């Protein structure tokens, strides 16, 4: 246990349980073998390595919160936070895709699907036989998602969807998507409905893939609906509940972005700590200079504070309590810390930190998404 969780990590009040220790070790072994050697190539080419996510499915990481009866791992939020943190400690964009699949698409069906829908979709999502997407954001409505323009018009025993969603994780490669569309009046928070839609349905296609600053191996793309006829049995919950459901899904999702931020910050910190001991200037390691060691102390302190906030939200979520405030606080704080820590990490590496020969420039680019996705810092 000590090898994985340092003494400070043991003292945060939520001591890692056996499953967290097992998950950490498993991801560290897997990540060093299957992710670290390839991640800069994926980053360069913006390749979304689907096969990797199938392997994460084999490890139980694509259905972390899905109960065993639906083919998932049946874990709680502490284990989920650990899994995302450990993936992001190596590669934030793998962590982002894993988190979006688990929290958003799968999480929405788990929370609001009926028994038949859960039986149909959860086992395939939990094993990564199917990759999930979740579409709320549109070109003109991000923070103000309730003002969406994509419409679903009732037509017999179907709804016909027209419009476009953008910035959707797995917008092209997702096999199944949860999509929120307007079924009522603009301005009515109960005027939107969530549908679960399979990729091969007529009128549903992927659109433009974004060319991004960071998180480049996580696919981000448009989803387009052109007279897409969706059976009423694909509605999640009741008509009109889609937006309110989404806010609840995002309460859990924000814990996952806090965990993602935590992992990126931890990876950047570890890399710069090691480098500071190896790099010599003025005939001594740069870690001996107080200007550098003060930076490292600040980074470590902020990361521990992020970890406390994130596991506090995880604890409350496991207890079935409201986490609206706590998940927003954790997401806001941890994401800002990830950006600040990655920035200092580049500084500690000096000129080498500005090159792709060392890992910190990638942490720096990836971290920025965390203050934006699933609600910007200002919105939190
Ligand atoms: C890599 C990536 C993956 C994503 N994945 C998904 C996904 O899978 N599914 C999905 O639905 N969406 C996804 N998104 C979309 C993401 O959630 C939105 O980008 C985010 O919510 C911000 O919306 P916006 O980009 O439209 O910014 P805007 O809402 O236009 O905001 C622009 C600026 O204005 C500020 N602002 C807006 N309103 C206020 C206010 N009331 N008070 C103060 N400041 C304000 C914002 O904080 C921000 O600084 C993803 C985005 C990215 C970049």
């Amino acid at each position: 246990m000590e090898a994985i969780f340092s003494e400070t990590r043991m003292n945060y009040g939520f001591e890692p349980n056996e499953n967290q220790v097992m998950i950490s070790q498993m991801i560290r072994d897997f990540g060093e073998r299957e992710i670290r050697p390839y991640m800069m190539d994926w980053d360069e080419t913006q390749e979304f390595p689907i096969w990797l996510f199938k392997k994460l499915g084999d490890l139980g990481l694509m259905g972390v919160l899905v109960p065993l009866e639906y083919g998932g791992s049946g874990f709680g939020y502490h284990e989920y936070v650990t899994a995302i943190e450990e993936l992001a400690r190596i590669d934030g964009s793998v962590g982002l895709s894993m988190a979006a699949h688990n929290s958003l698409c799968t999480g929405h069906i788990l929370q609001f699907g009926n028994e038949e829908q859960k039986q149909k979709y959860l086992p395939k999502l939990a094993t990564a036989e199917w990759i999930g997407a979740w579409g709320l954001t549109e070109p003109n409505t991000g923070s103000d998602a309730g003002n969406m323009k994509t419409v679903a018009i009732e037509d017999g025993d179907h709804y016909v969807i027209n419009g476009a969603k953008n910035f959707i994780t797995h917008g092209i490669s997702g096999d199944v998507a949860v999509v929120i569309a307007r079924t009522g009046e603009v301005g009515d928070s109960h005027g939107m409905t969530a549908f679960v839609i399979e990729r091969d349905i007529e009128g549903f296609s992927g659109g433009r893939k974004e060319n991004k600053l960071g998180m480049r191996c996580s696919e981000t793309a448009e989803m387009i609906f052109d007279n897409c006829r969706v059976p009423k049995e694909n509605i999640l919950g009741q008509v009109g509940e889609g937006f309110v459901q989404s806010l609840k899904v995002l309460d859990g999702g924000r814990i996952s972005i806090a965990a993602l931020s935590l992992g990126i910050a931890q990876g950047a910190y570890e890399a710069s700590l090691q480098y500071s001991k190896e790099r010599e200037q003025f005939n001594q390691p740069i870690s001996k200079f107080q200007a550098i060691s003060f930076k490292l102390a600040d980074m470590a302190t902020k990361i521990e504070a992020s970890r406390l906030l994130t596991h506090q939200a995880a604890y409350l979520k496991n207890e079935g309590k409201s986490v609206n405030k706590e998940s927003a606080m954790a997401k806001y704080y941890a994401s800002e810390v990830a950006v600040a820590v990655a920035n200092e990490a580049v500084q500690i590496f000096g000129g080498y930190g500005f090159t792709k020969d060392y890992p910190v420039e990638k942490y720096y680019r990836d971290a920025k998404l965390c203050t934006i996705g699933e609600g910007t810092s200002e919105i939190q």
Side-chain angles (χ1 to χ4, degrees):
M1 192 181 280
E2 307 257 307
I4 299 170
F5 294 100
S6 68
E7 215 173 301
T8 41
R9 293 184 71 186
M10 296 288 286
N11 287 338
Y12 57 65
F14 301 100
E15 289 192 6
N17 61 40
E18 269 181 23
N19 290 329
Q20 286 174 273
V21 175
M22 179 273 290
I23 289 168
S24 284
Q25 193 60 63
M26 179 179 78
I27 294 177
R28 286 180 182 217
D29 293 345
F30 177 84
E32 293 307 325
R33 211 175 49 244
E34 307 273 0
I35 301 176
R36 206 183 290 281
Y38 312 107
M39 65 188 198
M40 289 313 289
D41 286 343
W42 301 332
D43 185 75
E44 197 67 32
T45 58
Q46 278 219 123
E47 177 184 349
F48 173 54
I50 286 203
W51 57 267
L52 178 78
F53 292 91
K54 306 284 180 193
K55 287 192 179 180
L56 291 179
D58 293 341
L59 298 179
L61 295 173
M62 296 299 268
V64 180
L65 298 165
V66 174
L68 298 172
E69 64 199 279
Y70 300 113
S73 297
F75 288 133
Y77 269 80
H78 290 304
E79 290 87 353
Y80 184 43
V81 165
T82 296
I84 297 172
E85 179 186 348
E86 290 292 348
L87 282 173
R89 183 183 150 270
I90 300 171
D91 184 340
S93 53
V94 173
L96 174 63
S97 270
M98 179 274 207
H101 172 97
N102 275 276
S103 281
L104 300 180
C105 179
T106 308
H108 201 133
I109 297 169
L110 184 59
Q111 243 181 298
F112 298 106
N114 59 32
E115 191 50 38
E116 203 178 317
Q117 291 164 336
K118 287 185 194 174
Q119 298 275 2
K120 182 171 180 189
Y121 297 108
L122 294 180
K124 288 195 163 90
L125 287 164
T127 53
E129 184 182 337
W130 282 1
I131 299 293
W134 188 79
L136 176 69
T137 305
E138 298 184 0
N140 294 317
T141 54
S143 302
D144 187 15
N147 218 352
M148 65 180 63
K149 301 286 180 292
T150 296
V151 289
I153 309 283
E154 194 174 1
D155 182 21
D157 52 5
H158 284 70
Y159 273 81
V160 181
I161 305 184
N162 277 292
K165 298 284 172 183
N166 84 329
F167 292 148
I168 306 305
T169 304
H170 316 146
I172 296 169
S173 300
D175 300 283
V176 61
V178 171
V179 177
I180 297 85
R182 174 163 306 289
T183 45
E185 295 304 311
V186 176
D188 178 4
S189 62
H190 289 89
M192 288 154 276
T193 302
F195 299 85
V196 53
I197 305 181
E198 288 169 41
R199 172 62 57 184
D200 52 10
I201 197 169
E202 209 179 316
F204 173 29
S205 55
R208 189 174 75 104
K209 178 172 167 173
E210 302 296 340
N211 184 3
K212 306 196 298 289
L213 169 75
M215 298 292 197
R216 286 171 60 81
C217 98
S218 176
E219 178 187 275
T220 311
E222 280 177 308
M223 294 195 303
I224 296 164
F225 300 91
D226 181 10
N227 285 323
C228 177
R229 288 176 66 78
V230 181
K232 282 185 176 168
E233 68 217 34
N234 288 29
I235 290 171
L236 291 165
Q238 302 299 315
V239 171
E241 286 182 351
F243 186 64
V244 177
Q245 289 173 2
S246 298
L247 297 182
K248 291 187 180 150
V249 169
L250 286 170
D251 279 348
R254 284 172 184 154
I255 299 176
S256 73
I257 303 297
L260 184 65
S261 310
L262 190 53
I264 293 172
Q266 182 71 31
Y269 167 74
E270 286 173 13
S272 36
L273 178 64
Q274 186 187 333
Y275 185 79
S276 73
K277 291 176 181 166
E278 292 164 1
R279 175 71 173 171
E280 293 199 356
Q281 290 293 285
F282 303 97
N283 301 317
Q284 53 185 318
I286 59 169
S287 61
K288 297 281 182 208
F289 303 128
Q290 281 197 325
I292 298 296
S293 57
F294 285 165
K295 277 191 203 301
L296 288 162
D298 268 353
M299 291 154 80
T301 307
K302 286 176 178 156
I303 292 169
E304 281 308 293
S306 296
R307 186 167 285 113
L308 278 168
L309 281 173
T310 307
H311 278 282
Q312 171 181 257
Y315 170 76
L316 293 171
K317 188 79 181 156
N318 279 347
E319 294 289 297
K321 301 204 167 123
S322 165
V323 291
N324 184 262
K325 180 180 79 179
E326 290 77 7
S327 65
M329 283 178 163
K331 195 267 179 192
Y332 163 61
Y333 184 78
S335 63
E336 294 289 343
V337 163
V339 173
V341 165
N343 181 33
E344 288 293 45
V346 173
Q347 193 67 23
I348 290 171
F349 272 76
Y352 294 103
F354 207 62
T355 73
K356 289 186 188 282
D357 294 338
Y358 288 89
V360 286
E361 64 83 36
K362 180 170 184 302
Y363 289 121
Y364 184 59
R365 289 184 287 111
D366 289 346
K368 193 57 201 156
L369 178 273
C370 300
T371 68
I372 297 170
E374 297 200 29
T376 62
S377 289
E378 293 77 7
I379 292 299
Q380 305 311 313

